Amino acid sequence: MLVLGMCPTLGTTTSALNGMGMGLATLVVLTLSNIVISAVARFIPDKVRIPSYIVIISAFVTIIQLLMQAFLPSLYETLGLFIPLIVVNCIVLGRAEAFANKNTVLDSACDGLGIGLGFTLSLTVIGLVREILGSGSFFGWNFLQGDGILVFVLAPGAFLVLGLLMALFNKLTQGRA
Amino acid sequence: MTILLILVFAIFVNNIVLSQFLGICPFLGVSKQVNTAVGMSLAVTFVMALATCVTWMLQNYVLVPLNMVYMQTVTFILVIAGLVQMVEIILKKISPALYQSLGIFLPLITTNCAVLGVALMVVQKQFTFGGETGMLNLGESVVFAIASAIGFGLAITLFAAIREQLETSNVPKPFKGIPIALITAGIMALAFMGFSGMV
């Protein structure tokens, strides 16, 4: 489930709140672009499909970017480069291509919400694990004096935590099947 | 001197894959064999240098004078998509041999976030090299883009070589595929952390 949209998954999950913020931003973009694309898909010639989708998606990303800059400046600073990069998040374009251009507006909105919530949940969980191990806090609440295992907040920790969580996920689903 | 610093900075210290988390999808996707990894990194180098050159000029000669910096994301992604398409067409006409080897990677590059990421980075961030802090000029930006692409190539090629070995080794079942690849990448990132503080 996590193989798409890797870059933000690894890059923004230094804490649970950052991961959740990124997930919610993606959720909004995904839902809105799904709605618009499913509404206009009939009028777009097949050949210029992908460029048109990209323009629609990047319009919504720009809106989110400006809104976050105005109302959540600290989160905007932390996520930085990864907000404009929602445009090239494979999940958003993937859902537009695989679902929104074939289904009704309502279905596409639900699809966007569902996928977006799943993505937000995974980002929050990864962020939470990294935050607990790395800085000894829980959603910003410090339960530990001093530093945690710093490496988990840095780059290598992201790869390690995601790898271990995916192995755990595989283990659980295989056990059930 | 500055150019040398930029090269070391972008290839080792701030490796685009292992410390910036850009371009992870191709990093995991096309790194099963060394050959394809090399092909992909050549194509990325080419497009990244070209795209950064064009978007830098667009930013400084069009968007800033017109006060339209908020259109950055939209214009940059369109320029990159158009550029990739153009390179593909030109390459097909001029050098079919090169097209044969790079062709299949080109469409994938549009959605490689490393290209857009580097294009945005050079126009947004302040860099400090040799005691001077400031925005990069056109030449430095292109050098930065090429260096980032070399860093991408280095990471993906090393990673592919490791994964070729992993194919034959006995990995516990839940770790098969992506999880063990991610852990390998994590250990590589640990190794690259040794370079931090060099520039």
Side-chain angles (χ1 to χ4, degrees):
Chain A
M1 77 174 166
L2 271 171
V3 187
L4 288 176
M6 278 292 189
C7 306
T9 311
L10 293 163
T12 62
T13 51
T14 47
S15 76
L17 279 177
N18 288 350
M20 203 154 91
M22 184 67 202
L24 288 178
T26 315
L27 169 94
V28 174
V29 172
L30 185 57
T31 313
L32 291 176
S33 62
N34 257 6
I35 292 174
V36 172
I37 287 169
S38 63
V40 299
R42 276 174 295 148
F43 310 109
I44 298 176
D46 224 29
K47 271 191 180 160
V48 291
R49 194 172 77 238
I50 303 283
S52 335
Y53 294 168
I54 292 180
V55 175
I56 294 171
I57 295 168
S58 49
F60 283 120
V61 170
T62 310
I63 294 171
I64 294 289
Q65 198 177 352
L66 292 173
L67 283 176
M68 283 180 86
Q69 209 169 0
F71 296 108
L72 297 164
S74 63
L75 187 64
Y76 177 79
E77 282 293 311
T78 352
L79 298 183
L81 200 58
F82 284 97
I83 309 250
L85 286 180
I86 298 176
V87 179
V88 281
N89 188 329
C90 337
I91 294 181
V92 181
L93 196 61
R95 290 323 287 176
E97 177 74 0
F99 194 90
N101 70 349
K102 301 185 198 80
N103 288 284
T104 60
V105 176
L106 193 64
D107 285 348
S108 306
C110 295
D111 178 70
L113 273 176
I115 301 276
L117 279 177
F119 187 64
T120 311
L121 187 69
S122 339
L123 287 194
T124 314
V125 169
I126 298 166
L128 193 61
V129 172
R130 285 181 69 189
E131 192 184 343
I132 290 174
L133 291 173
S135 30
S137 58
F138 182 83
F139 281 98
W141 171 67
N142 267 46
F143 59 80
L144 205 75
Q145 290 293 315
D147 290 335
I149 312 165
L150 202 58
V151 74
F152 283 102
V153 190
L154 299 174
F159 288 110
L160 294 176
V161 167
L162 184 58
L164 292 172
L165 280 179
M166 276 174 91
L168 184 70
F169 183 78
N170 282 348
K171 178 82 185 162
L172 292 177
T173 46
Q174 275 165 8
R176 210 182 299 143
Chain B
M1 192 58 201
T2 321
I3 287 179
L4 198 69
L5 282 177
I6 295 177
L7 281 173
V8 175
F9 178 80
I11 298 177
F12 296 110
V13 182
N14 252 13
N15 187 285
I16 192 154
V17 180
L18 296 171
S19 80
Q20 302 287 304
F21 304 114
L22 297 173
I24 306 280
C25 299
F27 180 66
L28 293 171
V30 286
S31 61
K32 293 228 171 79
Q33 279 174 342
V34 175
N35 288 347
T36 47
V38 172
M40 182 69 185
S41 32
L42 283 178
V44 167
T45 315
F46 194 54
V47 172
M48 211 184 256
L50 210 59
T52 307
C53 185
V54 174
T55 52
W56 193 93
M57 289 196 275
L58 202 66
Q59 164 86 5
N60 287 288
Y61 299 135
V62 181
L63 293 182
V64 172
L66 290 178
N67 237 341
M68 297 220 311
V69 180
Y70 59 88
M71 289 295 283
Q72 211 176 39
T73 318
V74 184
T75 43
F76 279 22
I77 186 71
L78 282 178
V79 165
I80 291 170
L83 218 57
V84 170
Q85 201 95 93
M86 212 175 71
V87 168
E88 202 179 339
I89 295 170
I90 293 174
L91 220 56
K92 212 177 196 170
K93 277 265 184 282
I94 293 178
S95 164
L98 197 63
Y99 179 76
Q100 281 279 305
S101 52
L102 297 186
I104 46 165
F105 303 111
L106 283 173
L108 287 174
I109 291 177
T110 316
T111 52
N112 182 342
C113 51
V115 178
L116 182 62
V118 168
L120 287 169
M121 221 188 283
V122 292
V123 297
Q124 283 181 353
K125 264 174 83 174
Q126 303 250 334
F127 290 93
T128 309
F129 292 114
E132 280 175 60
T133 305
M135 307 301 280
L136 300 179
N137 64 28
L138 182 57
E140 288 166 346
S141 299
V142 174
V143 172
F144 184 82
I146 294 173
S148 300
I150 296 173
F152 175 80
L154 180 73
I156 198 175
T157 313
L158 285 175
F159 190 55
I162 298 174
R163 275 184 94 177
E164 278 186 359
Q165 301 291 314
L166 272 179
E167 283 292 295
T168 53
S169 56
N170 189 12
V171 177
K173 209 172 161 219
F175 280 93
K176 277 231 159 70
I178 302 284
I180 192 70
L182 282 169
I183 288 172
T184 314
I187 296 169
M188 277 177 73
L190 270 178
F192 269 77
M193 255 176 75
F195 292 113
S196 64
M198 257 174 62
V199 174

